[in-house]
Amino acid sequence: MCGAEQGAVRDYWRNIIHEKIEVLGISVEKCYVEDVMECVNENWFKEALSTYGVINMKLLMAAQEDEKLKKYISILDKAVVDEPEVLKAAGVEDKRLEEEASRHGFFSTLFWFLSHYKNQVFLLGETEEDTEAFCHFVEEKYPDIVIVGKDSLQEAHADQIDRVINEINSFSPQAVLTCSRNMGIERFVADNRKMMNTKILFCLGERQEIQQETGLKKGWLGKLLEKSTFKKLVSQYNEENEDTGKGEE
């Protein structure tokens, strides 16, 4: 490959890297699962904690009224769009990205990675029930992953938060995996991630794969209402911002 061709390839990938996905005033870097996992692989050997999380409709809607959730999204090293509706709302037409979001490609690839390398992980949920379901899921589906500890936030008061952080740090796991139903974990991460003694923090959000363990899997009607609410909110936001833009002209 000649120098000009190499330069063209670098420019192409640079544009891809800097491309953004923007919905409801929140912007995240456009990236594929492969890009995220390459970043994860690199960060195993760094001293600083790196944080990864999924972006879905529920989180984007809640962040409209919660500055702490906006902060959480902003501190993620990489954010993975986990629902095709988010891509559609952002006006992103990318078949590969849509397929990865529809099939929850990050979730399955991450667990394959952790299982393949027999990584030591700590599991954190919002409630004890969620954590136990999470643990059961990992033990059954990915027995090669080493679970060194588990805990839940339960009540998000100061004493409980300190206790959870101390529990994580006592194990010094290679990675912390979290799941949440009401985004208590995301708020916790926004405030406390730098206090945790681990290499990688994965915030997996609300997982149907895990919820079905507790019998609380979201039904099709609930999902349909969520999609409808999200679509209306995006439409309203876009209309209001179009009007604002016209006024400024």
Side-chain angles (χ1 to χ4, degrees), residues 8-48:
V9 170
R10 282 196 302 270
D11 290 341
Y12 170 77
W13 285 111
R14 189 176 294 114
N15 289 333
I16 292 294
I17 290 171
H18 291 297
E19 191 171 350
K20 297 291 183 179
I21 295 173
E22 186 169 342
V23 183
L24 295 173
I26 295 173
S27 179
V28 298
E29 179 186 325
K30 176 184 174 181
C31 54
Y32 301 104
V33 171
E34 181 181 358
D35 303 325
V36 178
M37 296 313 299
E38 285 181 2
C39 186
V40 169
N41 201 35
E42 292 174 1
N43 284 330
W44 282 117
F45 306 101
K46 295 181 179 179
E47 290 298 323

Side-chain angles (χ1 to χ4, degrees), residues 15-236:
N15 289 333
I16 292 294
I17 290 171
H18 291 297
E19 191 171 350
K20 297 291 183 179
I21 295 173
E22 186 169 342
V23 183
L24 295 173
I26 295 173
S27 179
V28 298
E29 179 186 325
K30 176 184 174 181
C31 54
Y32 301 104
V33 171
E34 181 181 358
D35 303 325
V36 178
M37 296 313 299
E38 285 181 2
C39 186
V40 169
N41 201 35
E42 292 174 1
N43 284 330
W44 282 117
F45 306 101
K46 295 181 179 179
E47 290 298 323
L49 168 69
S50 56
T51 309
Y52 303 88
V54 296
I55 302 295
N56 53 36
M57 294 181 288
K58 184 175 181 179
L59 176 60
L60 290 171
M61 287 190 289
Q64 298 304 298
E65 305 294 334
D66 192 324
E67 290 298 322
K68 190 166 289 189
L69 291 179
K70 285 185 180 179
K71 175 187 174 184
Y72 160 77
I73 295 171
S74 72
I75 57 91
L76 293 173
D77 288 84
K78 294 286 185 183
V80 184
V81 174
D82 200 44
E83 292 175 333
E85 290 82 6
V86 174
L87 298 173
K88 185 176 181 179
V92 174
E93 296 183 3
D94 185 316
K95 294 297 183 184
R96 177 182 171 187
L97 212 57
E98 290 171 10
E99 183 175 358
E100 289 182 352
S102 298
R103 296 186 177 184
H104 309 299
F106 174 65
F107 185 79
S108 56
T109 304
L110 168 64
F111 276 91
W112 174 89
F113 178 91
L114 296 172
S115 180
H116 180 75
Y117 291 102
K118 297 179 170 59
N119 288 132
Q120 297 181 352
V121 305
F122 188 99
L123 305 182
L124 180 63
E126 285 181 342
T127 68
E128 186 175 346
E129 183 182 26
D130 289 340
T131 303
E132 289 302 323
F134 196 9
C135 185
H136 182 264
F137 172 84
V138 176
E139 288 176 335
E140 182 178 342
K141 304 292 185 183
Y142 302 94
D144 286 334
I145 295 176
V146 181
I147 301 173
V148 296
K150 59 184 177 179
D151 210 331
S152 62
L153 290 181
Q154 294 293 96
E155 301 296 331
H157 52 74
D159 290 344
Q160 177 72 0
I161 289 173
D162 288 343
R163 190 194 62 75
V164 168
I165 293 172
N166 290 336
E167 183 75 3
I168 292 171
N169 293 345
S170 70
F171 289 101
S172 297
Q174 292 174 298
V176 174
L177 307 183
T178 77
C179 65
S180 66
R181 196 178 304 162
N182 299 308
M183 286 166 289
I185 295 286
E186 287 80 356
R187 297 181 183 94
F188 167 79
V189 169
D191 288 338
N192 302 287
R193 67 190 178 92
K194 291 184 178 180
M195 299 175 66
M196 287 181 268
N197 185 18
T198 184
K199 290 283 187 180
I200 309 279
L201 177 60
F202 297 105
C203 300
L204 303 175
E206 185 179 36
R207 308 306 316 178
Q208 290 193 14
E209 301 93 332
I210 296 167
Q211 284 185 358
Q212 63 189 6
E213 298 283 340
T214 63
L216 294 174
K217 182 178 178 180
K218 184 181 294 183
W220 67 268
L221 180 57
K223 195 65 178 177
L224 184 63
L225 290 172
E226 185 175 77
K227 290 179 181 180
S228 177
T229 303
F230 178 69
K231 185 176 180 180
K232 289 177 182 177
L233 187 59
V234 170
S235 179
Q236 180 182 351

